[in-house]
Amino acid sequence: KTGNGVGIADLIYKQLTGKELNLNSGTLPNNQVIREKNSDDQPFIDKQQTNALNLNVKQNIENQSPQNEYKVNGNFLNRVQNRLANYQDSISAASQTYRIPKELIQAVITAESAARPNAVSKAGAKGLMQLMDGTARFLDVKDSFDPNQNIQGGSKYLRQMLDRFGNNLQLALAAYNAGPRNVEKYNGIPPFDETQNYVQRVMHYYQYFSNMKGGENT
């Protein structure tokens, strides 16, 4: 009767969990915004590599059971897209330089920082693509809070991980999050909740941006 349509759901949720049901937070679970840790026309992208990445994403999502499918918050992504619009030139340049689809760079930025250029994790990872200081120095990034430098550096590192793991997108993303040595140690995605959730989030965001009609914000 209040018109918000969630009264019964809120009551059931509160009785089962002891917590209030919040549908208007605009955030996602599992520390979506900041990691807690350690177009239509893209002639410059290697089509074979891009198709391989897209196939990898499609197979990964199709193999997931419906109950485990990660839910995308539309309001959250709308806000992220508005922020991403400020960095399209840098994303396009990095996409061309490192032969990575723009949608994938956008997906990583979304998972890492929600497109906030001044984001800092508790571990000290900084900027749009959350670079640790040591990694930034290795990538010749002088200022991690400079969006262009950060996107260039993060995309370069992602390309290195793709090359290191045979263009396997899931392993490259796991290495981006947990480090390549952990991926090699466990011979796959490490058994860390954060890393497994991270890979799932980026894969869903990648498909979301890839499926956007008219190539908006891509």
Side-chain angles (χ1 to χ4, degrees):
K1 294 182 180 180
T2 63
N4 59 21
V6 297
I8 295 177
D10 183 70
L11 180 63
I12 295 173
Y13 185 88
K14 184 175 182 180
Q15 185 171 357
L16 291 175
T17 67
K19 300 178 181 179
E20 296 290 342
L21 177 63
N22 185 357
L23 299 180
N24 298 310
S25 65
T27 59
L28 292 175
N30 300 318
N31 192 30
Q32 179 61 46
V33 175
I34 299 178
R35 185 176 67 217
E36 301 286 338
K37 76 148 180 161
N38 40 348
S39 102
D40 292 331
D41 183 19
Q42 295 179 323
F44 46 81
I45 293 178
D46 187 314
K47 295 299 183 182
Q48 185 175 3
Q49 289 185 335
T50 303
N51 291 337
L53 292 178
N54 288 332
L55 179 60
N56 191 301
V57 172
K58 182 178 179 181
Q59 291 175 338
N60 179 78
I61 294 177
E62 287 178 347
N63 289 335
Q64 295 180 25
S65 58
Q67 61 267 29
N68 292 328
E69 183 176 351
Y70 192 80
K71 301 302 182 183
V72 175
N73 185 312
N75 292 331
F76 168 79
L77 284 175
N78 286 338
R79 292 194 294 274
V80 169
Q81 289 170 30
N82 289 333
R83 298 178 195 133
L84 285 171
N86 297 316
Y87 314 115
Q88 289 310 300
D89 289 345
S90 295
I91 292 172
S92 294
S95 172
Q96 181 173 3
T97 299
Y98 299 111
R99 310 181 316 282
I100 298 174
K102 290 188 288 185
E103 295 85 358
L104 179 55
I105 298 174
Q106 289 177 309
V108 172
I109 291 174
T110 300
E112 291 288 350
S113 68
R116 297 181 184 275
N118 296 322
V120 180
S121 76
K122 290 183 178 180
K126 300 173 181 177
L128 291 169
M129 299 186 76
Q130 291 286 275
L131 302 179
M132 297 295 289
D133 287 342
T135 303
R137 287 192 296 270
F138 173 75
L139 297 168
D140 199 29
V141 173
K142 308 298 184 185
D143 181 3
S144 291
F145 294 121
D146 179 273
N148 183 63
Q149 291 187 43
N150 191 287
I151 291 171
Q152 284 287 324
S155 298
K156 180 179 181 179
Y157 188 64
L158 182 57
R159 167 44 60 194
Q160 291 174 351
M161 295 304 98
L162 285 165
D163 291 342
R164 185 164 178 167
F165 294 101
N167 209 42
N168 184 307
L169 178 55
Q170 296 179 62
L171 295 185
L173 292 173
Y176 191 101
N177 176 266
R181 292 182 180 178
N182 273 321
V183 174
E184 292 166 346
K185 174 182 178 181
Y186 292 100
N187 194 32
I189 299 175
F192 311 146
D193 288 343
E194 178 193 336
T195 300
Q196 294 184 356
N197 291 334
Y198 174 83
V199 171
Q200 187 181 32
R201 290 199 307 272
V202 176
M203 297 288 273
H204 278 77
Y205 293 149
Y206 182 26
Q207 182 171 14
Y208 173 83
F209 288 120
S210 297
N211 288 342
M212 288 182 62
K213 293 182 180 180
E216 293 179 2
N217 295 321
T218 60

